[in-house]
Amino acid sequence: TQFAPDNARLTSFSGFVRVGHDEFKVRVRSITYDNSSSTRMCFDTAQLDVEPRLAAILASQQDTLKIRLAQSSSLESFIKELEELVAICAPVTTLQPALPSAAYYTHLMAELDAIGWNHLLELSDDLRSLELQTHDAAKRKHAIRLQLPVEYPPRSAPVCFVDAPEPFELVWDPQEASAYGGGCCYMLKEVLQQFDAFLSKFQSFWDVLDDLDTKTCVLEPHRPTRATARRRIALQKHASLQIEVNPEHPRAICELSFFGNDATVGSLREKWSEGVFQWDETLPLRDNLESILDVEFPSPTHTQADEFAIECGICYCYRLEMDAPSSEETTTATTAKRPHAAQPRTLIPDKLCENSKCNRPFHEKCLFDWLKALPTARQSFNTVFGECPYCREAISAKFLP
């Protein structure tokens, strides 16, 4: 880093301090010189001026800076210490990444021309990240978001973010990429080819879920993604069934959870226990469930899911927003989650009073908080025991924050 004098007396110098790929303007003024040597600088009374952005970073280091400046033996040694201090104090987000070379933009445009601009959904302002769209065998739309490496030909694989039940592991050979990347449109085309092959693994899985979404009244999740393997479907008022589909074996016996009191779902639990061995993997999952449980799921063509939306007896809301998204509803990525704002997770009432005359639904979290505040409630680990707020029937709630 070089500093230039601001005046002929050489009492003030200005320049830039570089940390990473960022630069900050700095000026050191009021420099004096030793009487015994006209070239030896003294910084006892020197002052440091910095731009506002750097001043904010070093706000807590003012005393340290004054001491280091006063004790410095030369301007170069102080600037070196200043750079080290800025590197320690500056947040990572403050430092700007290096811009790609001109060849990067040329190759990127050529690649987009080759794969077709119809595949492009979104392109960031700095052209460092983009979102591509493709279709699977059933004409379902799928998107993949890429964060591209700065260098070209690429020596490292792009970071991929996808909406699928498993991570998308991009197979990447740096030597092969270098061999092809410099001369033709290789990177994006290769990513799309591997992504299409990856999507083919989950065709049966998405067929099963699409069948549930179109032919049953789905209560949860409110806005399912392609990564979500869970569906909670309505059976009747105050009764629902949660299904967990195995992405690798979507027609195999699935995990079931019944929501409701014994009066409404007790008989269904018994039918499931007795008839689960009749499961036929050649049949669609929905047909197996209806056959074993001896029910016909309410259809969205005749019934709206809102008809089953009964509000919580404590907060008087149907959907309760939580702070963090559940792991299963968060987009899967190769090395990280997709860099989009996470949508809040919502809960619907899943705890009912066992008194058939009351039958009040509650969010288990609301019920847990309510019971925990009662002086007569008993708690065992994460379960609280108490009375229904409406009928005084014994009730319990378990909640894991």
Side-chain angles (χ1 to χ4, degrees), residues 295-314:
V295 297
E296 183 177 349
F297 297 139
S299 170
T301 58
H302 304 103
T303 311
Q304 296 295 323
D306 291 343
E307 296 181 23
F308 303 96
I310 304 175
E311 64 187 21
C312 170
I314 294 176

Side-chain angles (χ1 to χ4, degrees), residues 124-239:
S124 65
D125 293 339
D126 60 0
L127 308 188
R128 290 291 313 284
S129 65
L130 53 87
E131 189 167 348
L132 302 177
Q133 177 181 269
T134 187
H135 296 79
D136 63 17
K139 305 302 181 184
R140 287 178 285 250
K141 294 180 180 180
H142 299 273
I144 178 170
R145 177 170 287 271
L146 305 174
Q147 287 185 345
L148 305 178
V150 177
E151 71 277 356
Y152 214 106
R155 292 191 295 270
S156 60
V159 181
C160 304
F161 304 90
V162 303
D163 182 8
E166 294 178 4
F168 171 53
E169 302 291 346
L170 183 65
V171 179
W172 191 260
D173 186 344
Q175 294 182 350
E176 185 178 352
S178 297
Y180 286 93
C184 69
C185 305
Y186 171 82
M187 181 168 58
L188 297 185
K189 185 176 181 180
E190 176 66 19
V191 169
L192 277 180
Q193 289 176 349
Q194 292 193 32
F195 186 47
D196 287 338
F198 171 78
L199 295 175
S200 65
K201 297 166 45 180
F202 305 107
Q203 295 306 294
S204 296
F205 171 70
W206 288 320
D207 288 343
V208 167
L209 293 176
D210 285 350
D211 179 69
L212 292 174
D213 290 339
T214 56
K215 296 182 180 179
T216 67
C217 292
V218 177
L219 303 179
E220 280 192 306
H222 187 39
R223 295 183 180 88
T225 69
R226 290 297 179 189
T228 310
R230 175 179 61 91
R231 294 294 188 273
R232 182 171 168 183
I233 62 177
L235 298 174
Q236 61 184 61
K237 281 193 174 182
H238 305 297

Side-chain angles (χ1 to χ4, degrees), residues 90 98 123 161 382:
L123 185 62
F161 304 90
N382 292 317

